[in-house]
Amino acid sequence: MEDKKGRMVAALENGTVIDHIPTQKLFTVVQLLQLDKCKDSVTIGNNYSSKKLGHKGLIKVADRFFSDDEISRLAVVCPNIRLCIIRDYEVVEKKEVCLPDQLTNVVRCANPVCITNNEPMKTVFYVVDKERGIMKCRYCGKEQCIDNIKLV
Amino acid sequence: MGNRSIVSIADYSREKIQQLLDMAAEFEKAPNRRILQGKVVATLFFEPSTRTRLSFETAANRLGARVIGFTDPKVTSSSKGETLKDTIKMVSNYADVIVMRHKLEGAALYASEVTNVPIINAGDGSNLHPSQTMLDLYSIYKTQGTLENLNIYMVGDLKYGRTVHSLLMSMRKYNPTFHFIAPKELEMPEEYKMYCKLNKINYVEQTDFTEDTIADADILYMTRVQRERFTDLMEYERVKDAYILKADMLGKCRKNMKILHPLPRVNEIEYDVDESEHAYYFEQARNGLYARQALICDVLGITPEQIKTDLTIIEA
Ligand SMILES: [Zn+2]
């Protein structure tokens, strides 16, 4: 019984486990990391019970190690996510995700008359308040909050 | 692309502003020169603005540059035309400076990133309009002899009026005291009041516009109160006449007080005010020519010293 329960999260030889994903954000994370187009073996689980969140989502990706850039993009969606780097069945590193100072082509500007919504170009946002998750568009200068952003 | 574009002057240092003011003053003394002979200035007006375009084109022409460009009233954000990037790239092959106006916010900054040709922002959306700000600063400097410690009264539509927002930010370093006089529905937006607080700029808000409330002004900056800005037309009817400047309101004002207005006016300054020694809005518009000559030369790397020792002046 114990073995079966454990197997879901343990059987990864090399790769990354993304843990503590809020259940409603799980598929946003999948989309953000483009795991739907990923050739490696991916396990996506949702509604596991969690002491911290009540319920949580969890993703395991075999043989994939995310770049700092990808991790910072994750921070936009869910700031409290955790990554476990697995090598040879062992957790060799745990990474807490945190919001970077600048986000390039991650977030869409909420201002319809912003140039970024009308040209094929990358968006750039400056994180002006990490605590409250406030970010400012490089182009139109409008600020928006992390709670109601749209991804590019 | 690290060039000398002017997208915004809100963060310019005092030294940089002073340099531009000095250059404008030189051009006022002698506006006709050949200092830009052989240069091509492009004016790309994706959004029409006849006044601004004429002023820039006159500035370029009077310095001996040639002008190319277009005004395209058909260009909209949704039209399936060429991208802004492609247009800028194409024109960059022809021009030494690109003056552009666009209805989308951030368009000028983006344009400056895709070309090595310097861009001058002639207004992008409700966002920025540095050449208007520069001419406002020059007008204030010229009439008051300084930009320091002035009482600047802004009247009318302070919510949508981008010229007052730009002016507010660019005066930051000169210890101004602002008075915001506006109807409730068009009051100064919270973000600019926050900006004042953060930068320790004094401001007073009031709704009364009378002979007494403007008595201490050094600059009275008037703006249009437009009907279409109101969601509540009853409110518009109630306030529309409350923000009109009349000659008999000038009895108690300071001797040095000047009235500015970005023009065109509708009815917010009565015609009898034009005769007053305080009226300055027509001269202000002419200052736009010198301010724009300064901006064009600045992006081309021409220094104030070069302008002072310029031998290409055409004597009248
Ligand atoms: Zn924007």
Side-chain angles (χ1 to χ4, degrees):
Chain A
M1 197 57 197
E2 195 57 43
D3 272 346
K4 273 188 184 171
K5 245 186 162 177
R7 199 181 300 155
M8 286 301 292
V9 288
L12 189 60
E13 188 179 344
N14 289 298
T16 307
V17 177
I18 308 168
D19 202 355
H20 297 134
I21 307 171
T23 52
Q24 75 280 10
K25 297 278 180 70
L26 179 71
F27 289 98
T28 318
V29 173
V30 170
Q31 185 209 341
L32 189 79
L33 296 173
Q34 300 193 313
L35 296 177
D36 48 342
K37 292 170 194 133
C38 175
K39 294 277 188 326
D40 307 308
S41 96
V42 181
T43 312
I44 299 170
N46 209 2
N47 297 317
Y48 293 110
S49 59
S50 152
K51 284 189 201 109
K52 235 161 113 185
L53 300 170
H55 287 90
K56 68 175 183 181
L58 185 143
I59 299 170
K60 293 191 294 176
V61 194
D63 302 315
R64 177 100 181 259
F65 304 95
F66 297 102
S67 66
D68 287 348
D69 188 47
E70 286 171 305
I71 293 168
S72 65
R73 291 160 69 94
L74 271 180
V76 177
V77 190
C78 18
N80 298 313
I81 223 162
R82 190 165 70 193
L83 271 74
C84 296
I85 317 296
I86 314 278
R87 290 189 200 274
D88 204 12
Y89 300 103
E90 297 278 342
V91 176
V92 293
E93 194 186 348
K94 284 185 179 179
K95 278 187 184 171
E96 300 288 337
V97 156
C98 77
L99 215 50
D101 296 333
Q102 185 181 323
L103 294 159
T104 301
N105 221 26
V106 179
V107 177
R108 186 184 294 280
C109 184
N111 176 7
V113 294
C114 177
I115 184 69
T116 60
N117 287 316
N118 296 274
E119 275 272 313
M121 63 184 282
K122 289 180 176 169
T123 66
V124 176
F125 277 83
Y126 303 116
V127 178
V128 291
D129 186 337
K130 288 197 187 189
E131 210 94 307
R132 294 187 298 143
I134 308 291
M135 49 189 78
K136 182 176 186 164
C137 175
R138 166 172 170 80
Y139 294 93
C140 72
K142 296 280 183 303
E143 291 186 351
Q144 49 187 324
C145 182
I146 197 164
D147 297 334
N148 37 39
I149 50 149
K150 283 200 175 71
L151 295 173
V152 167
Chain B
M1 281 198 174
N3 63 36
R4 303 182 54 96
S5 293
I6 296 176
V7 174
S8 164
I9 62 167
D11 291 319
Y12 273 17
S13 67
R14 296 163 65 101
E15 292 71 31
K16 182 75 195 173
I17 295 284
Q18 191 60 49
Q19 230 179 55
L20 290 166
L21 294 172
D22 291 346
M23 282 162 78
E26 289 298 318
F27 289 125
E28 178 160 12
K29 280 187 256 170
N32 300 320
R33 302 164 182 242
R34 291 195 196 87
I35 194 167
L36 297 186
Q37 197 159 41
K39 302 285 185 196
V40 173
V41 175
T43 55
L44 310 187
F45 278 63
F46 299 90
E47 175 191 54
S49 171
T50 307
R51 281 161 194 276
T52 307
R53 186 170 59 83
L54 286 179
S55 180
F56 267 111
E57 293 186 352
T58 307
N61 275 310
R62 285 191 182 274
L63 296 179
R66 294 193 178 247
V67 177
I68 60 169
F70 59 76
T71 290
D72 193 349
K74 294 185 298 297
V75 172
T76 67
S77 59
S78 58
S79 82
K80 292 211 167 53
E82 192 177 40
T83 62
L84 174 62
K85 179 180 178 176
D86 288 6
T87 307
I88 295 294
K89 284 283 195 196
M90 182 264 295
V91 175
S92 297
N93 293 323
Y94 310 142
D96 301 291
V97 183
I98 296 174
V99 176
M100 66 174 275
R101 187 185 183 97
H102 204 287
K103 65 184 286 188
L104 295 172
E105 296 176 20
L109 176 59
Y110 177 60
S112 73
E113 291 172 349
V114 301
T115 178
N116 284 318
V117 174
I119 301 281
I120 298 177
N121 184 4
D124 57 347
S126 58
N127 212 14
L128 295 165
H129 196 356
S131 71
Q132 176 71 43
T133 307
M134 201 57 229
L135 81 88
D136 289 342
L137 290 180
Y138 183 59
S139 298
I140 294 171
Y141 182 71
K142 209 177 120 182
T143 59
Q144 308 299 317
T146 177
L147 294 176
E148 308 282 348
N149 311 317
L150 296 172
N151 289 340
I152 298 178
Y153 287 49
M154 297 174 163
V155 184
D157 179 359
L158 305 186
K159 185 174 180 186
Y160 300 100
R162 65 176 165 189
T163 54
V164 294
H165 302 154
S166 293
L167 181 61
L168 183 154
M169 293 195 286
S170 58
M171 288 296 292
R172 180 181 83 228
K173 300 185 176 87
Y174 301 96
N175 189 38
T177 300
F178 288 111
H179 285 243
F180 303 143
I181 305 179
K184 200 87 194 115
E185 232 188 285
L186 299 180
E187 69 180 16
M188 187 59 81
E190 202 50 49
E191 58 177 301
Y192 292 102
K193 288 189 249 173
M194 273 307 293
Y195 183 90
C196 288
K197 283 175 196 154
L198 285 174
N199 290 288
K200 301 193 168 58
I201 299 172
N202 299 315
Y203 71 87
V204 180
E205 280 189 287
Q206 56 199 61
T207 50
D208 286 354
F209 182 49
T210 65
E211 183 175 13
D212 289 309
T213 62
I214 60 172
D216 287 328
D218 296 307
I219 292 291
L220 193 59
Y221 200 103
M222 300 293 299
T223 62
R224 284 185 295 285
V225 174
Q226 291 163 291
R227 192 168 188 267
E228 55 270 27
R229 297 300 196 194
F230 283 81
T231 49
D232 181 356
L233 285 181
M234 295 275 282
E235 174 71 5
Y236 171 74
E237 290 302 324
R238 215 168 52 74
V239 305
K240 68 174 183 189
D241 296 328
Y243 299 92
I244 294 177
L245 181 64
K246 304 178 180 74
D248 63 12
M249 290 166 69
L250 301 171
K252 293 181 181 170
C253 72
R254 292 183 175 181
K255 187 111 184 63
N256 61 303
M257 191 277 273
K258 292 293 181 213
I259 304 158
L260 304 187
H261 187 298
L263 299 182
R265 72 173 149 176
V266 183
N267 65 344
E268 55 280 355
I269 301 175
E270 287 198 342
Y271 289 101
D272 57 1
V273 176
D274 296 358
E275 260 82 287
S276 155
E277 56 178 335
H278 301 289
Y280 193 72
Y281 26 94
F282 297 117
E283 290 92 330
Q284 178 191 4
R286 193 177 61 226
N287 289 338
L289 173 62
Y290 315 130
R292 289 179 174 112
Q293 286 181 314
L295 295 178
I296 294 171
C297 286
D298 182 66
V299 298
L300 285 169
I302 298 171
T303 63
E305 286 64 41
Q306 281 174 282
I307 290 164
K308 277 180 196 130
T309 56
D310 181 15
L311 297 174
T312 70
I313 291 172
I314 302 165
E315 305 294 343

